[in-house]
Amino acid sequence: MSVKDPYVKVLDLEQTLADLTAMVDQLQQERSDLEIALTTAIEHGDAIEAQLETANRQLKNEVRERLIVERQLRDLVTTITQKSRDLEVVLQTITEHADQIDLQWLGRYIESENAARRDSLTGVANRRMFDECMAREWARARREREPVALLICDVDFFKSYNDLHGHQAGDDCLRRIAEILQSVLHREGDLLARYGGEEFVILLPNTDLKGALQVAESVLRAIRQAALPHGASSVADHLTVSIGVATQVPADADENALFAEVDRLLYIAKQQGRDRIATVSNVPPDTP
Amino acid sequence: MQPIQGEGYLVEFDPNGDRVRMSGSLRLGGLSEYAPISDLLDQAIDGREALTLDLRALEFLNSSGIATLSKFVIHVRNGKTCQLTVVGSNAIPWQGKSLNNLKRLMPSLELVFDA
């Protein structure tokens, strides 16, 4: 075993001391580094936390604002939806209302149109409607080469009737005469009209003289059978009528020729004593 | 409140009966000509808990008129303070459908028809 001398031993201790010192320095350095790292990490964490806190606060504000906006939008949608629903109902109300009013006007129009073509006393067609029908039937008959028959019935001594029985009775009489004349007509298209005063016309489309005479005789018979009392007639003790009858196949557009002919025949029936029918078969064409 | 009167129509407010009566034939031209009637209706419901709109004698009402009534009904409904009653007549053809449509705008509206 070797034994070192004291000098060597001192050298070893110095060396050891130096090593230890170096180690201490290193450890101190490491410790310092660790402290810096730790401090840095802590400070960094604080900064991140603060940042997150700020971001969190901002997000919360944003969420709150968005909830407010959402609520406002919901209210707006509700309002708009309600207004839209209201508008739909108002539109429907106005449209249906307009339709109802149209119907109301149409009804009044039809009523007034009918009234304009009806005789207010007797309810039968008036002269206006007769003129329209006559023109229409005349044109149709001319096209199809068919006869058109016309009767003019005039109540005999009607002025005397009015003078004796009064105008109210005169009106009642005309109503009754209209009913009787109407009861004689059975074909669709035959038209009875009050032409004016105590004068009635009967238009018989597509009817020859024989058919027209049958209608005229039915009228005369029905009036006689009704035996409406007439206290001022010089031909009977009841109401009578005189009738002119003619028929023509239209040769031109002038329907007035037929009317003039029937009017002439009526005049002759009156001249010949009333309460009768005058037609071309019993009256020569040139009789005034 | 002064009645509004024109050719063939009358709109009057009866404060005692809480009632506005419309009668005759209302054919004014456009919503602007209905503005005075609209104002009368708005004043009639102001501070009132109940109002009756009596249309039994209103024989004719044009489209602008029904639009004015529709707007008034919506106004009353949105106000939520006034109970509205509309009295109509079965004898007047336009009232049946049109007044029922007003009830669609305001379900709480009371609709009464006279025979």
Side-chain angles (χ1 to χ4, degrees), chain A residues 82 85-87 89-90 92-94 96-98 100-101 104-105 108, chain B residues 59-63 66-67 70 74 77 93-94 97-98 101 104-105:
Chain A
Q82 179 66 59
R85 207 174 296 135
D86 285 351
L87 279 175
V89 176
V90 169
Q92 194 178 349
T93 304
I94 292 170
E96 290 181 358
H97 181 79
Q100 287 292 322
I101 292 294
Q104 206 169 317
W105 276 124
R108 287 188 190 180
Chain B
E59 289 178 14
F60 186 87
L61 182 71
N62 66 3
S63 295
I66 196 72
S70 301
I74 291 170
R77 182 200 67 195
W94 67 265
K97 201 166 258 185
S98 296
N101 273 335
R104 287 177 61 201
L105 286 169

Side-chain angles (χ1 to χ4, degrees), chain A residues 176-192:
Chain A
R176 188 75 190 96
I177 295 278
E179 283 171 11
I180 293 166
L181 296 183
Q182 191 69 67
S183 71
V184 166
L185 304 179
H186 304 296
R187 276 190 331 178
E188 194 179 345
D190 291 350
L191 179 78
L192 166 67

